[in-house]
């Protein structure tokens, strides 16, 4: 048994040292950056090139939640479900976003426009509940504001992309559109 | 040689032995589900728990992965261990009731009730198949995929694997699908038919076939339940 | 700006450079600090800063008045925070429109703008200077205090404050064992959760014999609701770097690594920049300070897995595998990264190191007997002043919530405080006087953890909180141990039944029994603490569980299956706002007439409750 373990350990090390400083996680990050997800054929090529068993790639790609095996939408929506956001009502906010977009966290709308991602803490807990749309932070969200927020995104009212300042909370609440 | 105390007994083992190997060597039986002598241990099933350390500062560890250490105090059948083991088996039974291995474990450890909702999973994620495929067959066609409650065993992109050698080793070693038991149905996970002295044939047996015919319970002269093929109508 | 191209070869070089920079800093000490951390950025501080810069330029003041875009200044709730130095006039919620006025009045004429001052909600009192504000008064900002004086992109700012003196002292005047002894003597305990003595950990790695050793800075910060590690890295990266270099020297590692979670892209950029600056000055690389000690630092990025914050899992992740914990022993000091002796330290622990070596006396006077120094908490949830607070260890939780935090938001009443993240517990009112100390918190069923402190009011359901953490852990467990994976599933299954009104009296005992077994039978810290949220809520709020089970009521009005919305006939004015906003079209009624909610269609989202201005929507 001891032998087996040592054998396995040394094999693991060889595998890893072979792929030297660029660890598999880093390589997958690079692929995802290029393709916006991890396409199967690219993973196959990587496996061949680096001499890594295919299932190992799949194992790592599915273990970490930031890797995606399907293409992501044009607009990325993050809703924080961290503890601070949760106690200030993020669950209802997330449900409302899901309802408006018709997708669950982790999914992308059929037209490829929006992806919704539930994340655990964005590190700005003082502004809970937090929703981030295309890297713009929207603080102190409530379900009632979601309609207005997405009308805004649709009509891209938040035009001045330069300013990360969120105006949505001052937008008059009262979405006329019902989806 | 390392000296340790095993259930109060002074023992000596070679460095590098695991606690499970040590216990087995000294004839103490510890239940396991994910251990196989020919494969590297991963400590997944947690059934081989033993208590280590002095009673006031003890903790439970998996014997199959824990290395022997000088002066270690080990208890394999303390109350704490038994309680944990029994509850784990109860959970196993609620999760994969149709495994003969698990039914046998349950009856052997006197687990006679299940307080959790019954599921019918067909994998306990012991990883034996993954290891036999990699370590013995050198194929590496399957792996653990995903994590947490979505962990599962699968191939690359869940497709037919080019690396699979069709050796059947994974099926051979799987404790859940081998000798699939036909016993319990929806309402109750506990069967224990094969070893228990309780009447085995559950109400819901209907047209399912009993694994042993006649089963131990019948031989012991217990009254077969309704639906059992051995039951004489009218009795 | 004078170039800093010349390499620092000796400690004397460093001191000379520090002196030049110090002089420069004190000769033009008038500057405007705009908080640039995530909290304030989300409030729009970036454009505020740009407007400041342009405005100064226009008015021809750019030469006399400096600008710093700093790390978190603490009071994130009131962002964007702007502080006029050297007086430290504290302005909050500063908007672009306010900039010109600030420059004209405050910067040039020293006039205060009352509208922008911090006002205490309870007393109504306003405060002009940063240090007067009650939020800062009880704090002891050994680690965060310098944020105000440092632009994280500028190593000059850090050097001007005496930065890297600790490294110089360690490398040129001390032996590794002397450093370890000093750290031990300071009683620094790991800030990553377990509270293990940092000195002892270093000693173990120092004693290990190997051709190579590693030191890793754990910046995975997975605890949802805590962000002090991110703030330290983004606000004062060189202090962490110093800790890493000194640690490397002490344990005999010549390679350091910073493992950052991928959710913190800004932190990665800032550290990279800091590494680059340190390398250029020769503070990293070969023969640092001519001591013969070589040290390299690289960055490794996670990919979204809480469990990868556990040390052995973190190493698996750096090595490129799935971040699963492994059986210890063998301990990391025997067998860590690439099989070599390794020590893993939390960001905040490392940031303490230069303070200990520089201000050891002061440091040892702070904190309790068993654990010295300060701890940064992220004070969030239903409290008035949310933000990062740094307090001496041993201060009571009540002092943090009431004196620093300013009490509960919106005049509601306190119910519980959750510390220790997903591994911690919820403490009720009568335990508020518990000191922030590793042992004391453990004794009452919670944990120090990494420093999240989430305040909950009477609108928070404790069963729901337990459910929340179980759901988190269900996703985040690696899933290898049956008892962790299935145990959490089953705990959640029972709690789900309870919040859906399907609970039975036996459930409470079963939850307890199962929790104990899950704690006992899992491999790593995640599993071993996963039942804490259940156990601690059961211990202090069993009544609330019983209300769900027996009366089928959720006293806090959170659990959807147990609450109902209706409209108060007396109060409804028939304005129709709720009808218009209801996403399920469940509300009917003509204008000016009493409206009604159809319970069949109502999805209990609560939008009507939020929108009704007459308080006519009832939740029960
Ligand atoms: C599931 C789990 C997650 C953890 N996550 C973190 C983390 O995000 N950051 C951290 O510093 N420590 C984390 N820890 C604690 C580390 O294992 C380790 O104790 C710590 O990094 C050691 O540093 P310290 O001694 O300086 O505290 C985690 C532990 C567990 C069990
Ligand atoms: S398929 Fe069988 S052998 Fe493989 S992990 Fe599941 S239970 Fe174990
Ligand atoms: S206790 Fe949970 S998270 Fe830790 S190793 Fe086991 S399954 Fe993984
Ligand atoms: S919990 Fe939402 S940002 Fe931290
Ligand atoms: S046999 Fe040891 S954990 Fe499964
Ligand atoms: S982010 Fe600005 S004060 Fe914390």
């Amino acid at each position: 048994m001891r032998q087996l373990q040592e054998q396995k350990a040394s094999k693991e090390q060889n595998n890893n040292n072979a792929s030297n400083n660029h660890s598999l996680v880093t390589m997958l990050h690079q692929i995802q950056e290029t393709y916006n997800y991890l396409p199967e054929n690219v993973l196959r090529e990587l496996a061949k090139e680096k001499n890594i068993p295919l299932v190992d790639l799949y194992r790592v790609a599915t273990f970490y939640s930031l890797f995606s095996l399907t293409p992501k939408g044009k607009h990325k929506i993050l809703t924080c479900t961290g503890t601070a956001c949760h106690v200030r009502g993020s669950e209802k906010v997330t449900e409302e976003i899901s309802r408006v977009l018709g997708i669950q966290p982790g999914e992308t709308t059929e037209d490829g426009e929006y992806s919704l991602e539930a994340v655990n803490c964005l590190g700005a807990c003082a502004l809970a509940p937090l929703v981030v749309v295309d890297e713009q932070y929207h603080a102190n969200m409530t379900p009632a504001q979601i309609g207005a927020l997405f009308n805004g995104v649709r009509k891209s009212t938040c035009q001045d992309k330069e300013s990360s300042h969120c105006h949505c909370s001052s937008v008059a609440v009262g979405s006329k559109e019902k989806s | 040689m390392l000296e340790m105390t095993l259930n109060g007994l002074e023992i000596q083992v070679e460095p590098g032995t695991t606690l499970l190997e040590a216990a087995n060597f000294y004839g103490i039986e510890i239940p396991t589900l994910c251990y196989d002598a020919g494969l590297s241990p991963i400590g997944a099933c947690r059934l081989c728990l033993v208590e280590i350390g002095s009673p006031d500062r003890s903790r439970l560890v998996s014997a199959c992965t824990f290395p022997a250490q000088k002066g270690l105090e080990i208890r394999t059948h303390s109350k704490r261990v038994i309680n944990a083991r029994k509850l784990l088996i109860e959970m196993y039974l609620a999760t994969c009731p149709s495994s003969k291995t698990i039914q046998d474990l349950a009856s052997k450890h006197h687990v006679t009730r299940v307080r959790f909702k019954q599921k019918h999973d067909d994998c306990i994620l012991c990883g034996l198949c993954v290891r036999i495929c990699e370590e013995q067959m050198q194929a590496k066609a399957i792996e653990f995929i995903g994590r947490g409650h979505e962990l599962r065993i699968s191939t690359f992109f869940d497709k037919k694997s080019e690396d699979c050698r069709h050796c059947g080793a994974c099926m051979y070693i799987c404790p859940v699908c081998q000798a699939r038991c036909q016993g319990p149905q929806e309402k109750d996970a506990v069967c224990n038919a094969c070893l228990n002295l309780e009447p085995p044939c559950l109400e819901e047996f209907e047209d399912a076939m009993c694994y042993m015919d006649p089963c131990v319970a019948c031989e012991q002269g217990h009254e077969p339940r309704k639906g059992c093929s051995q039951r004489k109508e009218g009795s | 700006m004078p170039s800093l191209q010349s390499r620092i070869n000796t400690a004397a070089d460093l001191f000379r450079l520090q002196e030049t920079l110090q002089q420069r800093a004190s000769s033009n000490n008038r500057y405007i600090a705009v908080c640039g951390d995530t909290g304030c950025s989300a409030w729009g501080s970036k454009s505020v800063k740009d407007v400041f810069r342009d405005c100064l330029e226009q008015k021809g003041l750019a030469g006399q008045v400096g600008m710093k875009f700093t790390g978190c200044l603490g009071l994130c709730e009131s962002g964007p925070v702007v502080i006029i130095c050297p007086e430290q006039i504290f302005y909050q919620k500063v908007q672009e429109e306010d900039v010109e006025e600030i420059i004209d009045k405050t910067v040039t004429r020293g006039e205060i703008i009352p509208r922008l001052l911090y006002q205490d909600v309870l007393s109504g009192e306003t405060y002009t200077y940063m240090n007067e504000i009650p939020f800062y008064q009880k704090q002891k900002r050994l680690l965060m205090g310098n944020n105000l004086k440092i632009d994280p992109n500028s190593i000059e700012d850090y050097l001007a404050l005496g930065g890297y003196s600790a490294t110089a002292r360690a490398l040129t005047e001390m032996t590794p064992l002397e450093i370890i002894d000093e750290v031990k003597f300071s009683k620094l305990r790991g800030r990553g959760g377990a509270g293990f003595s940092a000195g002892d950990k270093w000693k173990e790695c120092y004693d290990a014999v190997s051709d190579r050793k590693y030191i890793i800075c754990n910046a995975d910060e997975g605890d949802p609701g805590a962000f002090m590690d991110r703030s330290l890295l983004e606000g004062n990266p060189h202090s962490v770097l110093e800790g890493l270099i000194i640690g490397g020297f002490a344990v005999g590692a010549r390679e350091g690594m910073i493992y950052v979670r991928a959710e913190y892209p800004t932190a990665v950029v800032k550290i990279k920049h800091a590494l680059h600056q340190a390398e250029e000055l020769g503070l990293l690389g070969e023969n640092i300070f001519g001591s013969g000690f070589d040290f390299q630092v690289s960055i490794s990025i996670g990919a979204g897995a809480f469990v990868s914050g556990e040390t052995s899992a973190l190493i698996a992740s750096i090595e490129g595998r799935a971040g699963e914990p492994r059986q210890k022993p063998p301990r990391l000091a025997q067998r860590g990264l690439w099989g070599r002796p390794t020590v893993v330290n939390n960001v905040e622990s490392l940031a303490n190191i230069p303070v200990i070596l520089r201000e050891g006396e002061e440091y040892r006077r702070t904190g309790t007997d068993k654990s010295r120094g300060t701890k940064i908490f992220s004070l969030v949830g239903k409290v008035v002043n949310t933000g990062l607070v740094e307090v001496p260890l041993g201060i009571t939780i009540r002092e943090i919530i009431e004196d620093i935090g300013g009490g509960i938001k919106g005049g509601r009443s306190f119910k519980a405080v959750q510390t220790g993240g997903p591994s911690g517990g919820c403490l009720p009112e009568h335990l508020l006087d518990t000191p922030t100390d590793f042992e004391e918190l453990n004794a009452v069923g919670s944990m120090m953890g990494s420093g999240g402190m989430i305040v909950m009011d009477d609108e928070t359901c404790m069963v729901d909180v337990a459910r929340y953490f179980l759901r988190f852990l269900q996703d985040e467990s690696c899933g290898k141990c049956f008892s962790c994976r299935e145990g959490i599933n089953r705990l959640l299954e029972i709690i789900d039944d309870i919040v859906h009104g399907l609970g039975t009296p036996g459930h409470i005992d079963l939850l307890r029994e199962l929790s104990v077994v899950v704690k006992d039978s899992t491999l790593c810290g995640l599993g071993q603490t996963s039942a804490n949220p259940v156990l601690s809520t059961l211990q202090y709020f069993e009544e609330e569980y019983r209300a769900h089970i027996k009366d089928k009521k959720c006293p806090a009005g959170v659990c959807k299956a147990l609450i109902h919305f209706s409209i108060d006939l007396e109060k409804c004015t028939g304005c129709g706002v709720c009808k218009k906003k209801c996403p399920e079209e469940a509300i009917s009624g003509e204008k000016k007439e009493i409206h009604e909610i159809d319970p069949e269609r109502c999805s209990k989202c609560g939008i009507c409750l939020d929108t009704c201005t007459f308080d006519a929507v009832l939740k029960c």
Side-chain angles (χ1 to χ4, degrees):
Chain A
M1 174 312 332
R2 192 177 161 206
Q3 233 173 342
L4 272 170
Q5 247 178 349
E6 270 165 12
Q7 193 187 336
K8 198 172 176 196
S10 81
K11 203 164 67 187
E12 249 160 30
Q13 250 160 50
N14 285 341
N15 274 350
N16 288 311
N17 284 339
S19 56
N20 59 59
N21 289 338
H22 288 286
S23 88
L24 189 50
V25 178
T26 318
M27 291 190 275
L28 293 181
H29 268 306
Q30 283 162 355
I31 296 177
Q32 177 141 315
E33 213 160 278
T34 319
Y35 298 90
N36 159 37
Y37 72 112
L38 301 177
E40 186 185 333
N41 57 345
V42 180
L43 292 188
R44 275 184 194 278
E45 276 165 33
L46 179 71
K48 209 181 273 164
E49 189 187 322
K50 301 277 174 189
N51 203 8
I52 309 173
L54 278 174
V55 268
D56 276 355
L57 285 184
Y58 196 45
R59 164 97 186 107
V60 175
T62 55
F63 183 87
Y64 296 99
S65 57
L66 287 182
F67 292 134
S68 169
L69 298 170
T70 47
K72 290 272 158 223
K74 258 191 238 150
H75 299 286
K76 268 207 196 118
I77 297 151
L78 304 179
T79 147
C80 180
T81 51
T83 323
C85 289
H86 180 82
V87 302
R88 288 213 202 161
S90 71
E91 196 174 345
K92 282 184 177 168
V93 173
T94 309
E95 277 169 19
E96 182 61 13
I97 300 178
S98 279
R99 200 191 58 79
V100 169
L101 294 178
I103 47 170
Q104 292 303 312
E107 295 176 354
T108 303
T109 49
E110 259 169 41
D111 57 7
E113 284 292 309
Y114 302 99
S115 307
L116 177 60
E117 218 62 66
V119 292
N120 291 314
C121 196
L122 291 154
C125 319
L127 317 180
L130 201 63
V131 174
V132 181
V133 182
D134 292 333
E135 294 176 17
Q136 285 203 33
Y137 287 72
H138 300 270
N140 294 346
M141 292 307 287
T142 63
Q145 287 172 0
I146 295 297
L149 171 65
F150 281 100
N151 282 340
V153 176
R154 277 204 200 97
K155 297 189 204 123
S156 35
T157 7
C158 285
Q159 269 162 348
D160 55 339
K161 284 266 188 302
E162 286 305 292
S163 95
S164 55
H165 192 157
C166 144
H167 296 284
C168 59
S169 36
S170 57
V171 168
V173 197
S175 68
K176 305 241 162 48
E177 260 175 37
K178 283 225 164 105
S179 42
Chain B
M1 284 306 228
L2 300 169
E3 287 94 45
M4 306 193 291
T5 329
L6 179 65
N7 296 341
L9 188 77
E10 299 285 328
I11 61 164
Q12 284 193 335
V13 294
E14 295 253 7
T17 337
T18 63
L19 300 189
L20 182 68
E21 287 164 332
N24 284 348
F25 182 79
Y26 282 91
I28 291 168
E29 202 181 328
I30 296 177
T32 61
L33 266 177
C34 70
Y35 175 76
D36 187 285
L39 302 173
S40 57
I42 59 168
C45 76
R46 313 308 291 170
L47 264 191
C48 66
L49 291 172
V50 295
E51 188 176 348
I52 58 166
S54 56
D56 51 326
R57 303 190 54 185
S58 67
R59 62 184 177 119
L60 303 191
V61 298
S62 50
C64 67
T65 53
F66 205 90
Q69 282 174 345
K70 195 168 157 40
L72 205 62
E73 252 182 67
I74 310 155
R75 286 171 298 281
T76 60
H77 285 73
S78 66
K79 191 151 184 263
R80 193 164 159 200
V81 170
I82 303 284
N83 280 347
R85 216 178 260 166
K86 279 180 82 168
L87 196 68
L88 288 183
I89 295 175
E90 188 178 337
M91 277 203 283
Y92 272 114
L93 207 46
T95 312
C96 283
S98 52
S99 154
K100 163 104 168 55
T101 317
I102 290 172
Q103 288 284 348
D104 286 355
L105 262 175
S107 60
K108 195 161 171 193
H109 292 86
H110 310 291
V111 175
T112 51
R113 60 173 177 176
V114 170
R115 290 163 293 173
F116 306 102
K117 284 191 191 148
Q118 195 175 327
K119 293 197 236 170
H120 280 278
D121 289 357
D122 44 18
C123 173
I124 53 167
L125 296 163
C126 66
L128 283 170
C129 52
V130 172
R131 283 171 286 154
I132 201 166
C133 181
E134 177 183 358
E135 294 170 14
Q136 298 294 340
M137 302 306 154
Q138 321 265 306
K140 206 150 176 49
I142 48 177
E143 245 301 353
F144 284 102
I145 299 302
R147 73 160 190 242
H149 64 134
E150 283 167 354
L151 192 69
R152 61 200 162 88
I153 308 284
S154 191
T155 51
F156 183 67
F157 272 83
D158 308 313
K159 292 182 178 159
K160 195 167 176 296
S161 166
E162 297 112 84
D163 299 320
C164 171
R165 297 168 38 193
H166 309 283
C167 63
C170 52
M171 280 162 25
Y172 157 79
I173 205 162
C174 179
V176 174
C177 27
Q178 61 159 244
R180 191 172 277 279
C181 155
Q182 304 257 315
Q185 298 289 310
E186 287 307 329
K187 287 196 191 101
D188 190 355
V190 193
C191 168
N192 294 347
C194 319
L195 282 169
N196 243 14
L197 302 183
E198 290 290 303
C201 334
L202 301 169
E203 311 263 322
E204 300 81 3
F205 244 59
E206 303 297 2
D207 49 8
M209 219 189 62
C210 189
Y211 175 73
M212 284 189 187
D213 193 18
C215 67
V216 187
C218 300
E219 283 185 299
Q220 299 275 335
H222 282 269
E223 180 63 24
R225 283 200 197 160
K226 208 171 92 206
C228 174
S229 57
Q230 299 291 317
R231 186 179 160 119
K232 290 180 216 81
E233 281 316 312
S235 64
Chain C
M1 235 176 233
S3 107
L4 291 171
Q5 291 312 322
S6 54
R7 214 187 106 103
I8 298 175
N9 289 318
T10 60
D13 283 356
L14 175 77
F15 299 138
R16 226 172 296 129
L17 180 60
Q18 281 177 347
E19 205 162 312
T20 326
L21 292 168
Q22 234 152 8
Q23 271 166 7
R24 199 175 75 192
S26 53
S27 66
N28 52 11
N29 60 356
R30 172 160 287 290
Y31 67 95
I32 301 166
V34 180
C35 173
D37 205 78
T38 312
C40 289
S41 297
W43 294 121
S45 72
K46 207 161 166 220
S47 39
V48 170
K49 173 206 66 172
D50 291 339
V51 177
F52 260 115
R53 186 152 281 164
D54 293 348
C55 204
L56 285 174
E57 199 104 337
Q58 268 170 24
K59 294 182 190 286
L61 290 169
Q64 300 143 45
V65 184
M67 283 277 316
K68 282 194 208 302
F69 202 38
T70 70
C72 177
L73 299 171
L75 200 55
C76 317
E77 175 86 20
S78 312
V81 171
V82 171
I83 299 180
I84 315 295
C85 297
E87 302 91 339
Q88 302 196 356
I89 298 167
F90 186 95
Y91 285 148
Q92 57 157 0
K93 300 196 176 133
V94 176
Q95 299 298 318
E96 293 164 39
E97 306 84 80
D98 303 321
V99 169
E100 190 159 7
E101 194 182 346
I102 296 180
I103 294 183
D104 287 346
K105 288 191 177 159
T106 317
V107 177
T108 29
R109 283 185 270 139
E111 255 173 63
I112 305 296
I113 308 169
R115 149 174 69 87
L116 295 173
L117 292 177
Y118 174 85
Q119 184 175 29
D120 194 275
V121 229
L122 285 183
S123 63
E125 207 169 317
T126 57
Y127 300 89
T128 310
Y129 301 103
M130 181 172 178
N131 292 337
E132 289 176 1
I133 300 175
F135 176 81
Y136 292 106
Q137 277 200 329
K138 276 217 169 166
Q139 294 194 43
K140 179 149 190 173
R141 294 159 62 84
L142 289 180
L143 306 182
M144 304 244 318
N146 281 341
N147 276 12
L148 177 60
K149 301 173 192 152
I150 291 177
D151 186 324
N153 283 327
S154 152
I155 193 171
E156 292 93 332
D157 281 358
Y158 187 67
L159 289 171
L161 293 167
Y164 285 98
S165 312
T167 312
R169 182 178 159 223
L171 266 51
T172 58
E173 295 169 24
M174 298 170 84
T175 65
L177 273 180
E178 279 168 0
I179 300 174
I180 292 172
D181 278 343
E182 184 143 345
V183 172
K184 265 195 201 170
F185 187 55
S186 76
K187 298 197 181 155
L188 167 65
R189 297 176 61 178
R191 304 292 195 242
F196 199 74
S197 152
D200 288 343
K201 199 149 88 176
W202 283 8
K203 180 71 171 43
E204 201 185 337
C205 191
Y206 170 85
D207 286 338
V209 186
S210 170
D211 58 336
R212 258 192 291 168
K213 294 182 192 176
Y214 297 96
I215 180 165
I216 302 175
C217 167
N218 186 348
D220 194 45
E221 196 159 60
D223 174 2
F227 57 106
M228 64 287 297
D229 291 350
R230 179 183 62 66
S231 278
L232 278 172
L233 282 174
E234 290 182 15
N236 196 350
H238 288 287
S239 66
V240 182
L241 203 51
E242 251 198 288
L244 197 62
I245 300 172
I246 297 170
F249 180 69
V251 303
R254 283 191 282 146
E255 274 172 76
M257 209 166 274
I258 306 180
Y259 183 85
V260 195
R261 70 196 296 236
E263 289 89 336
Y264 288 171
T266 323
V268 175
V269 174
K270 296 225 166 117
I271 307 165
K272 277 196 179 145
H273 188 75
L275 287 180
H276 183 71
Q277 287 174 324
E279 273 162 17
E280 282 207 326
L281 285 182
L283 299 169
L284 277 180
E286 281 171 22
N287 196 11
I288 304 171
F289 293 124
S291 63
F293 174 63
D294 308 337
F295 195 67
Q296 305 285 351
V297 177
S298 56
I299 300 179
S300 199
I301 298 174
F306 171 68
V307 70
S308 300
E310 198 275 342
T311 47
S312 63
L314 184 139
I315 283 171
S317 179
I318 295 180
E319 291 177 353
R321 286 176 284 130
E324 272 180 345
R326 67 154 169 81
Q327 167 83 58
K328 282 180 276 184
R331 301 167 58 87
L332 296 189
Q334 297 151 358
R335 206 161 180 291
L337 186 62
W338 311 120
R340 303 303 203 300
T342 302
V343 60
V344 179
N345 283 118
N346 165 264
V347 172
E348 195 184 336
S349 314
L350 289 176
N352 271 291
I353 300 292
V355 181
I356 291 172
L357 290 194
R358 240 174 28 212
E359 301 159 43
E361 274 299 307
E362 174 66 15
Y363 188 91
R364 284 191 294 277
R365 253 183 276 130
T366 314
T368 65
D369 238 13
K370 278 194 176 154
S371 32
R372 296 269 159 76
T374 60
K375 172 82 196 93
I376 308 178
F377 287 97
S378 74
L379 183 60
V380 292
K382 308 278 188 72
V383 61
V384 175
N385 298 323
T386 54
L388 285 185
V389 305
E390 183 178 348
V391 292
L393 280 167
I395 180 174
T396 65
I397 297 178
R398 187 188 299 280
E399 284 173 281
I400 298 182
I401 295 177
E402 292 179 0
D403 301 345
I404 298 176
I408 304 298
K409 218 184 177 101
R412 303 203 70 96
S413 59
F414 173 88
K415 185 179 210 167
V417 54
Q418 208 277 347
T419 61
S423 329
C426 296
L427 303 180
E429 168 102 46
H430 74 266
L431 289 173
L432 272 185
D433 291 314
T434 312
T436 47
D437 171 278
F438 291 93
E439 279 75 23
E440 304 253 7
L441 281 171
N442 279 345
V444 291
S446 188
M447 251 179 80
M448 183 79 94
S450 57
M453 186 174 278
I454 294 125
V455 181
M456 304 172 186
D457 65 4
D458 54 356
E459 280 185 313
T460 317
C461 168
M462 300 317 286
V463 184
D464 179 67
V465 168
R467 178 166 175 252
Y468 166 78
F469 282 116
L470 289 174
R471 278 207 191 162
F472 173 86
L473 292 166
Q474 186 188 37
D475 283 337
E476 296 295 340
S477 146
C478 78
K480 181 165 75 174
C481 304
F482 174 80
S483 47
C484 174
R485 180 183 74 240
E486 197 58 25
I488 294 173
N489 278 349
R490 296 299 184 174
L491 285 171
L492 186 59
E493 182 179 285
I494 298 168
I495 292 202
D496 269 338
D497 271 357
I498 294 178
V499 302
H500 285 104
L502 304 170
T504 63
H507 274 163
I508 291 189
D509 288 336
L510 187 55
L511 278 178
R512 283 214 169 92
E513 191 183 332
L514 183 53
S515 296
V516 171
V517 170
V518 170
K519 266 178 99 111
D520 249 4
S521 60
T522 42
L523 170 70
C524 82
L526 186 145
Q528 283 157 8
T529 54
S530 61
N532 281 0
V534 178
L535 285 173
S536 77
T537 48
L538 267 177
Q539 183 175 0
Y540 300 118
F541 302 94
E542 189 173 327
E543 274 319 300
E544 213 167 320
Y545 278 84
R546 295 205 179 279
H548 283 74
I549 293 172
K550 243 176 80 199
D551 316 331
K552 309 289 175 210
K553 281 240 153 42
C554 173
V558 171
C559 300
K560 278 192 172 179
L562 305 177
I563 53 171
H564 305 281
F565 286 89
S566 59
I567 292 179
D568 188 340
L569 308 179
E570 306 275 294
K571 287 186 179 161
C572 177
T573 61
C575 71
V577 169
C578 58
K579 182 177 163 189
K580 208 159 80 188
K581 288 294 289 182
C582 173
E584 304 296 334
E585 301 182 2
I587 304 181
S588 57
E590 293 302 313
K591 268 249 172 274
K592 305 239 166 96
E593 274 171 31
I594 290 171
H595 282 53
E596 210 183 343
I597 299 178
D598 176 0
E600 293 290 301
R601 301 188 80 158
C602 171
S603 69
K604 301 175 184 172
C605 67
I607 291 184
C608 51
L609 185 79
D610 290 344
T611 44
C612 179
T613 38
F614 304 100
D615 288 337
V617 179
L618 303 172
K619 181 167 80 172
C620 65

